[in-house]
Amino acid sequence: MARIVDQYIEIVKKRNPGEPEFVQTVEEVLGSIEPVLKKHPEYVKSGLVERLIEPERMITFRVPWVDDKGKVQVNRGYRCQFNSALGPYKGGIRFAPNVYPGIIHCLAFEQIFKNALTGLPIGGAKGGADFDPNGKSDAEIMRFCQSFMTELYRHIGANIDSPAGDLGVGGKEIGYMYGQYKRLTASCDGSGVTGKPVSSLGLNGRTEATGHGIVFFLKNMVEANKDTLKGKTVVISGFGNVAWGTAQQLEKEGAKLIAFSGPDGYILDEEGITGKKVEYFLDLRNSGKNICEPYAKKFKSAKFFKGKKPWGVKADIYIPCAMQNDVLMESAKLIVKNKAKYYCEGANMPTSNDALEFIQKAGIPVGPAKAANAGGVACSAIEMSQNARKMPVSREEVDTMLYDIMKHIYEASANAAKEYGKKGNLVMGANIAGFLAVAEAMTVQGIV
Ligand code: 2IT
Protein backbone atom coordinates (compact mmCIF):
# COMPACT_ATOMS: atom_id res chain seq x y z
CA MET A 1 0.00 0.00 0.00
CA ALA A 2 1.28 3.45 -0.89
CA ARG A 3 2.39 5.58 2.03
CA ILE A 4 1.74 9.30 2.34
CA VAL A 5 5.49 9.98 2.34
CA ASP A 6 6.16 8.18 -0.98
CA GLN A 7 4.99 11.22 -2.98
CA TYR A 8 7.57 13.39 -1.19
CA ILE A 9 10.38 10.89 -1.76
CA GLU A 10 9.47 10.90 -5.47
CA ILE A 11 9.77 14.71 -5.56
CA VAL A 12 13.25 14.55 -3.99
CA LYS A 13 14.38 11.90 -6.49
CA LYS A 14 13.09 13.87 -9.44
CA ARG A 15 14.44 17.21 -8.32
CA ASN A 16 17.89 15.98 -7.25
CA PRO A 17 19.07 13.49 -9.88
CA GLY A 18 22.41 11.83 -9.19
CA GLU A 19 22.23 12.51 -5.44
CA PRO A 20 21.75 9.06 -3.85
CA GLU A 21 22.98 10.16 -0.41
CA PHE A 22 20.31 12.85 -0.22
CA VAL A 23 17.59 10.43 -1.32
CA GLN A 24 18.82 7.88 1.25
CA THR A 25 18.55 10.38 4.13
CA VAL A 26 15.12 11.60 3.03
CA GLU A 27 13.92 7.97 2.81
CA GLU A 28 15.30 7.30 6.28
CA VAL A 29 13.72 10.35 7.93
CA LEU A 30 10.39 10.35 6.09
CA GLY A 31 10.11 6.57 6.52
CA SER A 32 9.79 7.23 10.26
CA ILE A 33 7.17 9.96 10.14
CA GLU A 34 4.37 8.16 8.29
CA PRO A 35 2.45 7.57 11.58
CA VAL A 36 2.90 11.25 12.49
CA LEU A 37 1.34 12.38 9.21
CA LYS A 38 -1.56 9.97 9.76
CA LYS A 39 -2.17 11.53 13.16
CA HIS A 40 -1.65 15.11 11.93
CA PRO A 41 -3.45 15.55 8.56
CA GLU A 42 -2.94 19.31 8.94
CA TYR A 43 0.77 18.81 8.09
CA VAL A 44 -0.21 17.17 4.80
CA LYS A 45 -2.78 19.87 4.06
CA SER A 46 -0.35 22.74 4.66
CA GLY A 47 2.26 21.24 2.32
CA LEU A 48 4.64 21.12 5.26
CA VAL A 49 6.69 18.17 4.03
CA GLU A 50 6.89 19.56 0.48
CA ARG A 51 8.39 22.70 1.98
CA LEU A 52 10.65 20.78 4.38
CA ILE A 53 12.35 18.74 1.62
CA GLU A 54 13.30 21.81 -0.42
CA PRO A 55 16.28 23.76 1.00
CA GLU A 56 15.59 27.41 1.74
CA ARG A 57 18.83 28.21 -0.09
CA MET A 58 21.82 26.46 -1.70
CA ILE A 59 24.81 28.71 -2.29
CA THR A 60 27.50 27.51 -4.70
CA PHE A 61 30.69 29.47 -5.18
CA ARG A 62 34.18 29.56 -6.69
CA VAL A 63 37.14 29.19 -4.33
CA PRO A 64 40.33 30.27 -6.13
CA TRP A 65 43.71 30.00 -4.36
CA VAL A 66 47.40 29.74 -5.19
CA ASP A 67 49.36 26.62 -4.15
CA ASP A 68 52.96 26.56 -2.84
CA LYS A 69 54.31 26.14 -6.37
CA GLY A 70 52.54 29.32 -7.49
CA LYS A 71 49.93 27.41 -9.48
CA VAL A 72 46.34 28.67 -9.45
CA GLN A 73 43.86 26.15 -8.07
CA VAL A 74 40.08 26.38 -8.21
CA ASN A 75 37.68 24.47 -5.97
CA ARG A 76 33.91 24.63 -5.57
CA GLY A 77 32.40 25.75 -2.27
CA TYR A 78 28.86 25.20 -0.95
CA ARG A 79 26.58 26.30 1.85
CA CYS A 80 23.14 24.78 2.04
CA GLN A 81 20.86 26.75 4.39
CA PHE A 82 18.17 24.12 4.62
CA ASN A 83 15.75 25.18 7.34
CA SER A 84 15.57 28.13 9.74
CA ALA A 85 12.28 27.35 11.50
CA LEU A 86 13.98 26.84 14.87
CA GLY A 87 16.71 29.47 14.69
CA PRO A 88 19.76 30.66 12.73
CA TYR A 89 21.23 28.05 10.40
CA LYS A 90 23.87 25.84 12.05
CA GLY A 91 26.01 23.00 10.77
CA GLY A 92 29.51 22.00 9.79
CA ILE A 93 31.80 22.68 6.86
CA ARG A 94 33.37 19.63 5.22
CA PHE A 95 36.51 19.65 3.10
CA ALA A 96 36.90 16.40 1.16
CA PRO A 97 37.45 15.48 -2.49
CA ASN A 98 34.04 13.76 -2.69
CA VAL A 99 32.06 16.84 -1.59
CA TYR A 100 29.29 17.60 -4.12
CA PRO A 101 25.69 18.85 -3.80
CA GLY A 102 24.32 15.39 -2.92
CA ILE A 103 26.51 15.09 0.21
CA ILE A 104 25.82 18.67 1.28
CA HIS A 105 22.04 18.30 0.81
CA CYS A 106 22.05 15.02 2.71
CA LEU A 107 24.04 16.33 5.67
CA ALA A 108 22.11 19.62 5.81
CA PHE A 109 18.77 17.78 5.81
CA GLU A 110 19.97 15.45 8.58
CA GLN A 111 21.23 18.49 10.52
CA ILE A 112 17.70 20.00 10.71
CA PHE A 113 16.44 17.12 12.87
CA LYS A 114 19.66 16.71 14.84
CA ASN A 115 19.62 20.37 15.81
CA ALA A 116 15.92 20.18 16.66
CA LEU A 117 16.63 17.26 19.03
CA THR A 118 19.05 19.35 21.09
CA GLY A 119 16.16 21.60 22.11
CA LEU A 120 18.38 24.62 21.35
CA PRO A 121 17.43 27.45 18.95
CA ILE A 122 19.30 26.37 15.80
CA GLY A 123 18.17 25.68 12.24
CA GLY A 124 19.84 23.20 9.89
CA ALA A 125 22.66 23.80 7.39
CA LYS A 126 25.83 22.26 5.98
CA GLY A 127 28.63 23.44 3.76
CA GLY A 128 31.98 22.50 2.38
CA ALA A 129 34.23 22.26 -0.62
CA ASP A 130 35.73 19.59 -2.86
CA PHE A 131 39.14 20.42 -1.39
CA ASP A 132 41.40 17.70 0.02
CA PRO A 133 43.39 19.04 3.00
CA ASN A 134 45.52 15.87 3.15
CA GLY A 135 49.04 16.49 1.96
CA LYS A 136 48.59 20.29 1.83
CA SER A 137 50.96 22.61 3.67
CA ASP A 138 49.66 24.85 6.48
CA ALA A 139 50.17 27.88 4.23
CA GLU A 140 48.05 26.28 1.48
CA ILE A 141 45.31 25.39 3.96
CA MET A 142 45.34 28.95 5.29
CA ARG A 143 45.08 30.48 1.83
CA PHE A 144 42.26 28.10 0.94
CA CYS A 145 40.33 28.88 4.14
CA GLN A 146 40.76 32.62 3.59
CA SER A 147 39.47 32.40 0.03
CA PHE A 148 36.56 30.18 1.13
CA MET A 149 35.58 32.71 3.82
CA THR A 150 35.95 35.68 1.46
CA GLU A 151 32.78 34.46 -0.26
CA LEU A 152 31.06 32.77 2.69
CA TYR A 153 31.19 35.74 5.07
CA ARG A 154 28.41 37.60 3.25
CA HIS A 155 25.99 34.72 3.87
CA ILE A 156 26.66 34.12 7.59
CA GLY A 157 26.56 35.92 10.96
CA ALA A 158 25.42 35.47 14.56
CA ASN A 159 21.70 35.76 13.75
CA ILE A 160 21.86 34.25 10.26
CA ASP A 161 24.15 31.23 10.06
CA SER A 162 27.13 29.95 12.09
CA PRO A 163 29.20 27.26 10.39
CA ALA A 164 31.54 24.93 12.32
CA GLY A 165 33.91 22.08 11.48
CA ASP A 166 33.21 18.64 10.03
CA LEU A 167 35.40 16.12 8.16
CA GLY A 168 38.66 17.80 7.13
CA VAL A 169 37.85 20.97 9.07
CA GLY A 170 39.15 21.18 12.66
CA GLY A 171 40.35 23.90 15.01
CA LYS A 172 43.15 24.94 12.65
CA GLU A 173 40.90 25.52 9.64
CA ILE A 174 38.20 27.19 11.77
CA GLY A 175 40.90 29.44 13.27
CA TYR A 176 41.96 30.60 9.78
CA MET A 177 38.33 31.13 8.74
CA TYR A 178 37.61 33.10 11.90
CA GLY A 179 40.65 35.32 11.32
CA GLN A 180 39.44 36.14 7.82
CA TYR A 181 35.84 36.65 8.95
CA LYS A 182 37.06 39.18 11.52
CA ARG A 183 38.94 41.17 8.91
CA LEU A 184 36.04 41.18 6.48
CA THR A 185 33.36 42.16 8.99
CA ALA A 186 35.56 44.40 11.14
CA SER A 187 34.07 42.79 14.24
CA CYS A 188 35.76 40.56 16.77
CA ASP A 189 32.94 39.35 19.00
CA GLY A 190 33.52 35.67 18.29
CA SER A 191 30.57 35.40 15.92
CA GLY A 192 30.71 33.90 12.43
CA VAL A 193 31.95 30.39 13.15
CA THR A 194 32.02 27.96 16.08
CA GLY A 195 34.55 25.33 17.05
CA LYS A 196 37.08 28.14 17.34
CA PRO A 197 40.29 27.50 19.27
CA VAL A 198 39.81 28.32 22.97
CA SER A 199 42.38 31.11 22.63
CA SER A 200 40.10 32.82 20.10
CA LEU A 201 36.73 32.92 21.84
CA GLY A 202 36.12 29.19 21.36
CA LEU A 203 34.35 26.97 23.88
CA ASN A 204 36.31 24.92 26.36
CA GLY A 205 35.67 21.29 25.43
CA ARG A 206 34.02 21.80 22.00
CA THR A 207 36.66 19.61 20.28
CA GLU A 208 35.86 16.53 22.34
CA ALA A 209 32.15 17.34 22.83
CA THR A 210 30.84 15.17 19.99
CA GLY A 211 32.68 12.09 21.25
CA HIS A 212 31.84 12.65 24.92
CA GLY A 213 28.20 13.22 23.94
CA ILE A 214 28.12 9.94 21.98
CA VAL A 215 29.21 8.02 25.06
CA PHE A 216 26.73 9.92 27.27
CA PHE A 217 23.95 8.95 24.84
CA LEU A 218 25.18 5.35 24.77
CA LYS A 219 25.29 5.29 28.57
CA ASN A 220 21.62 6.30 28.74
CA MET A 221 20.78 3.64 26.16
CA VAL A 222 22.70 0.93 28.02
CA GLU A 223 21.26 1.90 31.41
CA ALA A 224 17.72 1.84 30.00
CA ASN A 225 18.47 -1.82 29.29
CA LYS A 226 19.45 -2.26 32.98
CA ASP A 227 23.03 -2.78 31.89
CA THR A 228 26.33 -0.92 32.37
CA LEU A 229 29.19 0.30 30.18
CA LYS A 230 31.71 -0.97 32.75
CA GLY A 231 33.82 -3.78 31.35
CA LYS A 232 32.20 -3.74 27.89
CA THR A 233 34.55 -4.23 24.94
CA VAL A 234 34.21 -1.64 22.17
CA VAL A 235 35.27 -1.30 18.53
CA ILE A 236 35.21 2.09 16.78
CA SER A 237 36.30 3.38 13.38
CA GLY A 238 38.31 6.53 12.73
CA PHE A 239 40.86 8.48 14.78
CA GLY A 240 39.63 12.06 14.23
CA ASN A 241 38.00 14.40 16.75
CA VAL A 242 34.90 12.25 17.13
CA ALA A 243 36.81 8.99 17.63
CA TRP A 244 39.25 10.70 20.01
CA GLY A 245 36.53 12.17 22.26
CA THR A 246 34.65 8.86 22.20
CA ALA A 247 37.78 6.93 23.26
CA GLN A 248 38.43 9.37 26.11
CA GLN A 249 34.93 9.08 27.53
CA LEU A 250 34.75 5.30 27.08
CA GLU A 251 37.81 5.03 29.32
CA LYS A 252 36.15 7.27 31.94
CA GLU A 253 33.09 5.03 31.94
CA GLY A 254 35.21 1.90 32.40
CA ALA A 255 34.56 0.41 28.96
CA LYS A 256 37.45 -1.20 27.08
CA LEU A 257 38.24 0.09 23.58
CA ILE A 258 40.11 -2.64 21.65
CA ALA A 259 40.10 -1.53 18.00
CA PHE A 260 39.97 1.54 15.77
CA SER A 261 40.63 2.18 12.10
CA GLY A 262 41.86 4.52 9.41
CA PRO A 263 41.55 4.52 5.62
CA ASP A 264 44.63 2.23 5.52
CA GLY A 265 43.25 -0.57 7.74
CA TYR A 266 42.53 -1.22 11.40
CA ILE A 267 44.41 -1.54 14.68
CA LEU A 268 43.64 -4.29 17.22
CA ASP A 269 45.01 -3.65 20.71
CA GLU A 270 43.48 -6.14 23.12
CA GLU A 271 45.34 -4.65 26.05
CA GLY A 272 42.93 -1.71 25.71
CA ILE A 273 43.34 1.72 24.10
CA THR A 274 43.64 4.10 27.04
CA GLY A 275 45.56 7.15 28.30
CA LYS A 276 48.51 8.08 26.12
CA LYS A 277 47.39 5.64 23.44
CA VAL A 278 44.19 7.67 23.02
CA GLU A 279 46.19 10.90 22.94
CA TYR A 280 48.35 9.33 20.20
CA PHE A 281 45.29 9.73 17.91
CA LEU A 282 46.25 13.42 17.82
CA ASP A 283 49.75 12.60 16.52
CA LEU A 284 48.26 10.36 13.85
CA ARG A 285 45.97 13.15 12.76
CA ASN A 286 48.67 15.82 12.87
CA SER A 287 50.95 13.70 10.68
CA GLY A 288 48.65 14.75 7.80
CA LYS A 289 49.03 11.24 6.30
CA ASN A 290 45.61 9.95 7.37
CA ILE A 291 46.95 6.49 8.29
CA CYS A 292 46.73 4.47 11.53
CA GLU A 293 49.50 1.90 10.90
CA PRO A 294 52.15 3.88 12.91
CA TYR A 295 50.16 3.06 16.10
CA ALA A 296 51.23 -0.60 15.78
CA LYS A 297 54.88 0.43 15.44
CA LYS A 298 54.70 2.60 18.54
CA PHE A 299 52.69 0.27 20.81
CA LYS A 300 53.88 -3.33 20.86
CA SER A 301 50.56 -4.67 22.17
CA ALA A 302 48.90 -3.71 18.88
CA LYS A 303 48.47 -5.43 15.52
CA PHE A 304 47.71 -3.69 12.21
CA PHE A 305 45.38 -5.26 9.63
CA LYS A 306 46.02 -3.66 6.26
CA GLY A 307 43.09 -2.64 4.07
CA LYS A 308 40.49 -4.13 6.43
CA LYS A 309 37.56 -2.61 8.33
CA PRO A 310 37.36 -3.36 12.08
CA TRP A 311 33.79 -4.76 12.11
CA GLY A 312 34.90 -8.41 12.17
CA VAL A 313 36.56 -7.93 15.59
CA LYS A 314 34.37 -9.45 18.32
CA ALA A 315 33.14 -6.90 20.85
CA ASP A 316 30.09 -5.90 22.89
CA ILE A 317 29.64 -2.45 21.32
CA TYR A 318 30.34 -1.01 17.85
CA ILE A 319 30.58 2.74 17.20
CA PRO A 320 31.42 3.91 13.65
CA CYS A 321 33.09 7.33 14.13
CA ALA A 322 34.72 7.87 10.74
CA MET A 323 32.50 8.83 7.79
CA GLN A 324 29.38 8.03 5.78
CA ASN A 325 28.72 4.55 4.34
CA ASP A 326 31.28 2.90 6.61
CA VAL A 327 29.00 0.00 7.59
CA LEU A 328 27.32 -1.65 4.61
CA MET A 329 25.44 -4.96 4.60
CA GLU A 330 28.53 -7.22 4.72
CA SER A 331 29.83 -5.37 7.82
CA ALA A 332 26.37 -5.40 9.44
CA LYS A 333 26.34 -9.20 9.03
CA LEU A 334 29.68 -9.44 10.88
CA ILE A 335 28.41 -7.20 13.68
CA VAL A 336 25.30 -9.36 14.12
CA LYS A 337 27.35 -12.56 13.89
CA ASN A 338 29.63 -11.23 16.64
CA LYS A 339 26.53 -10.97 18.86
CA ALA A 340 26.90 -7.23 19.44
CA LYS A 341 25.01 -5.98 22.47
CA TYR A 342 24.72 -2.36 21.24
CA TYR A 343 25.35 -0.39 18.05
CA CYS A 344 25.71 3.38 18.20
CA GLU A 345 26.41 5.66 15.24
CA GLY A 346 29.06 8.32 15.89
CA ALA A 347 29.74 9.72 12.41
CA ASN A 348 27.02 11.16 10.17
CA MET A 349 25.23 8.54 8.05
CA PRO A 350 27.79 5.78 8.73
CA THR A 351 25.31 2.95 8.07
CA SER A 352 23.39 2.24 4.87
CA ASN A 353 19.61 1.99 5.40
CA ASP A 354 19.50 -1.77 4.70
CA ALA A 355 22.45 -2.45 7.04
CA LEU A 356 20.83 -0.43 9.83
CA GLU A 357 17.56 -2.31 9.40
CA PHE A 358 19.42 -5.63 9.49
CA ILE A 359 21.10 -4.73 12.80
CA GLN A 360 17.79 -3.55 14.31
CA LYS A 361 15.95 -6.68 13.13
CA ALA A 362 18.57 -8.79 14.94
CA GLY A 363 17.31 -7.17 18.15
CA ILE A 364 20.42 -5.05 18.77
CA PRO A 365 19.57 -1.63 20.26
CA VAL A 366 20.69 1.11 17.83
CA GLY A 367 21.65 4.71 18.66
CA PRO A 368 21.12 6.83 15.51
CA ALA A 369 23.70 9.47 14.55
CA LYS A 370 21.37 12.43 14.56
CA ALA A 371 20.66 11.77 18.25
CA ALA A 372 23.96 10.28 19.45
CA ASN A 373 26.32 12.81 17.84
CA ALA A 374 24.22 15.92 18.52
CA GLY A 375 26.45 16.87 21.46
CA GLY A 376 28.88 18.52 19.05
CA VAL A 377 26.41 20.94 17.57
CA ALA A 378 24.81 21.46 20.99
CA CYS A 379 28.17 22.69 22.29
CA SER A 380 28.46 24.89 19.19
CA ALA A 381 25.18 26.52 20.25
CA ILE A 382 26.61 26.96 23.75
CA GLU A 383 29.67 28.60 22.14
CA MET A 384 27.35 31.03 20.30
CA SER A 385 25.62 31.92 23.54
CA GLN A 386 28.97 32.29 25.35
CA ASN A 387 30.13 34.75 22.66
CA ALA A 388 26.84 36.68 22.73
CA ARG A 389 26.91 36.97 26.54
CA LYS A 390 30.64 37.77 26.51
CA MET A 391 31.11 35.42 29.47
CA PRO A 392 33.35 32.36 29.22
CA VAL A 393 31.75 29.03 30.11
CA SER A 394 33.96 26.72 32.19
CA ARG A 395 34.85 23.19 31.21
CA GLU A 396 32.84 21.82 34.14
CA GLU A 397 29.74 23.77 33.07
CA VAL A 398 30.12 22.46 29.52
CA ASP A 399 30.37 18.87 30.76
CA THR A 400 27.28 19.17 32.94
CA MET A 401 25.23 20.86 30.21
CA LEU A 402 26.39 18.30 27.65
CA TYR A 403 25.37 15.37 29.86
CA ASP A 404 21.94 16.91 30.48
CA ILE A 405 21.41 17.61 26.77
CA MET A 406 22.33 14.04 25.79
CA LYS A 407 20.01 12.64 28.44
CA HIS A 408 17.21 14.88 27.14
CA ILE A 409 17.86 13.69 23.56
CA TYR A 410 17.79 10.07 24.64
CA GLU A 411 14.54 10.54 26.55
CA ALA A 412 12.86 12.58 23.80
CA SER A 413 13.74 9.86 21.25
CA ALA A 414 12.68 6.98 23.51
CA ASN A 415 9.40 8.71 24.46
CA ALA A 416 8.50 9.58 20.85
CA ALA A 417 9.13 5.96 19.82
CA LYS A 418 6.88 4.73 22.62
CA GLU A 419 4.13 7.23 21.85
CA TYR A 420 3.99 6.11 18.22
CA GLY A 421 3.92 2.39 19.07
CA LYS A 422 7.60 1.66 18.31
CA LYS A 423 8.98 1.25 21.83
CA GLY A 424 12.77 0.88 21.85
CA ASN A 425 13.19 2.04 18.24
CA LEU A 426 15.42 5.09 18.76
CA VAL A 427 15.91 5.54 15.00
CA MET A 428 12.20 6.21 14.55
CA GLY A 429 11.92 8.05 17.85
CA ALA A 430 14.72 10.51 17.01
CA ASN A 431 13.22 11.24 13.59
CA ILE A 432 9.73 11.74 15.03
CA ALA A 433 10.86 13.96 17.94
CA GLY A 434 13.03 16.10 15.64
CA PHE A 435 10.29 16.36 13.00
CA LEU A 436 7.60 17.36 15.52
CA ALA A 437 9.71 20.24 16.87
CA VAL A 438 10.37 21.60 13.36
CA ALA A 439 6.79 21.00 12.17
CA GLU A 440 5.32 22.92 15.08
CA ALA A 441 7.55 25.95 14.40
CA MET A 442 6.89 25.81 10.64
CA THR A 443 3.17 25.67 11.26
CA VAL A 444 2.99 28.82 13.39
CA GLN A 445 5.22 30.69 10.90
CA GLY A 446 2.71 30.28 8.04
CA ILE A 447 3.45 29.26 4.45
CA VAL A 448 7.07 30.35 4.14
O1 2IT B 1 27.65 17.08 12.03
C1 2IT B 1 27.67 17.96 12.89
O2 2IT B 1 26.79 18.06 13.75
C2 2IT B 1 28.78 18.92 12.87
N1 2IT B 1 29.64 18.79 12.00
C3 2IT B 1 28.87 20.02 13.86
C4 2IT B 1 28.03 21.16 13.45
C5 2IT B 1 28.18 22.39 14.33
O3 2IT B 1 27.64 23.42 13.94
O4 2IT B 1 28.82 22.31 15.38
Side-chain angles (χ1 to χ4, degrees):
M1 222 180 61
R3 302 174 302 173
I4 304 170
V5 296
D6 289 332
Q7 56 184 310
Y8 307 128
I9 295 169
E10 280 314 305
I11 295 175
V12 171
K13 282 187 183 161
K14 233 188 185 152
R15 206 177 264 158
N16 305 280
E19 300 191 13
E21 298 89 351
F22 184 28
V23 172
Q24 186 185 324
T25 315
V26 170
E27 280 176 340
E28 199 261 313
V29 174
L30 296 195
S32 298
I33 62 159
E34 180 75 8
V36 183
L37 298 181
K38 286 216 172 96
K39 195 169 161 190
H40 291 277
E42 70 274 20
Y43 292 157
V44 178
K45 210 166 152 239
S46 67
L48 192 137
V49 185
E50 273 111 318
R51 289 183 282 132
L52 185 64
I53 53 176
E54 181 62 21
E56 289 177 19
R57 200 169 296 104
M58 174 67 155
I59 302 152
T60 304
F61 51 97
R62 178 170 71 205
V63 189
W65 57 285
V66 181
D67 70 18
D68 285 348
K69 296 196 176 96
K71 187 172 180 294
V72 174
Q73 300 275 355
V74 179
N75 288 92
R76 186 173 281 180
Y78 304 94
R79 183 71 178 169
C80 178
Q81 299 176 329
F82 217 123
N83 192 293
S84 61
L86 292 177
Y89 306 105
K90 186 92 201 75
I93 297 274
R94 171 175 293 198
F95 290 164
N98 67 356
V99 164
Y100 81 108
I103 292 267
I104 300 295
H105 281 144
C106 135
L107 294 169
F109 187 71
E110 178 86 351
Q111 197 82 38
I112 303 170
F113 308 97
K114 182 197 299 194
N115 294 3
L117 279 171
T118 67
L120 300 168
I122 38 180
K126 204 84 186 190
D130 59 353
F131 168 76
D132 187 359
N134 288 308
K136 302 286 191 300
S137 72
D138 272 1
E140 288 177 320
I141 289 176
M142 183 177 73
R143 289 195 294 276
F144 182 81
C145 290
Q146 290 176 339
S147 180
F148 186 84
M149 184 51 85
T150 301
E151 169 62 31
L152 188 66
Y153 92 96
R154 68 188 76 248
H155 308 290
I156 64 176
N159 301 320
I160 305 167
D161 184 358
S162 299
D166 194 80
L167 275 187
V169 179
K172 180 168 78 181
E173 291 76 12
I174 289 290
Y176 294 146
M177 286 192 233
Y178 178 58
Q180 185 74 349
Y181 181 81
K182 261 179 49 188
R183 290 170 79 195
L184 292 164
T185 58
S187 78
C188 39
D189 55 5
S191 67
V193 289
T194 67
K196 299 180 291 294
V198 178
S199 67
S200 299
L201 290 91
L203 183 81
N204 232 312
R206 170 64 186 89
T207 315
E208 46 278 65
T210 310
H212 289 190
I214 289 163
V215 180
F216 291 155
F217 184 89
L218 178 66
K219 189 178 160 132
N220 275 279
M221 192 167 126
V222 169
E223 286 173 359
N225 283 281
K226 307 212 172 351
D227 198 356
T228 171
L229 276 175
K230 277 210 174 60
K232 294 277 186 301
T233 51
V234 186
V235 168
I236 66 173
S237 59
F239 55 84
N241 277 348
V242 177
W244 175 61
T246 300
Q248 280 183 340
Q249 194 62 34
L250 283 171
E251 183 177 358
K252 280 195 210 146
E253 302 293 343
K256 187 177 179 191
L257 178 62
I258 54 169
F260 73 98
S261 66
D264 56 329
Y266 78 86
I267 295 283
L268 176 66
D269 185 349
E270 278 171 313
E271 212 176 61
I273 301 165
T274 56
K276 64 179 193 316
K277 292 174 170 177
V278 173
E279 296 316 301
Y280 187 68
F281 284 16
L282 300 177
D283 293 5
L284 287 176
R285 185 148 20 110
N286 291 337
S287 78
K289 294 193 181 125
N290 206 15
I291 52 171
C292 66
E293 185 176 10
Y295 181 104
K297 296 203 175 104
K298 179 145 176 96
F299 301 108
K300 294 293 161 235
S301 52
K303 269 201 222 111
F304 173 66
F305 295 83
K306 196 180 164 87
K308 287 229 158 68
K309 286 180 180 282
W311 312 122
V313 175
K314 197 167 166 45
D316 298 317
I317 302 174
Y318 295 84
I319 316 177
C321 294
M323 56 180 171
Q324 74 278 3
N325 291 326
D326 193 3
V327 179
L328 306 179
M329 204 51 175
E330 60 190 284
S331 301
K333 282 184 182 157
L334 292 173
I335 287 169
V336 170
K337 196 172 138 216
N338 287 337
K339 298 199 164 46
K341 293 195 171 78
Y342 303 94
Y343 179 79
C344 188
E345 295 183 320
N348 290 319
M349 290 251 314
T351 327
S352 62
N353 288 354
D354 58 342
L356 198 66
E357 210 171 292
F358 185 78
I359 295 171
Q360 282 182 295
K361 284 220 170 105
I364 299 166
V366 167
K370 69 170 70 62
N373 78 17
V377 73
C379 284
S380 271
I382 297 172
E383 182 173 330
M384 287 166 74
S385 118
Q386 160 188 273
N387 295 153
R389 286 190 310 159
K390 302 189 191 308
M391 279 278 279
V393 184
S394 74
R395 175 111 197 177
E396 291 68 35
E397 287 173 286
V398 171
D399 245 18
T400 311
M401 282 191 272
L402 179 59
Y403 185 81
D404 290 347
I405 290 167
M406 297 318 294
K407 189 175 170 61
H408 157 80
I409 295 174
Y410 175 79
E411 284 168 359
S413 307
N415 290 341
K418 203 165 147 200
E419 193 187 329
Y420 282 86
K422 297 282 175 183
K423 190 163 182 275
N425 188 336
L426 296 171
V427 176
M428 282 194 87
N431 285 331
I432 292 172
F435 173 79
L436 283 170
V438 180
E440 196 177 322
M442 285 180 74
T443 300
V444 299
Q445 290 169 27
I447 309 297
V448 289

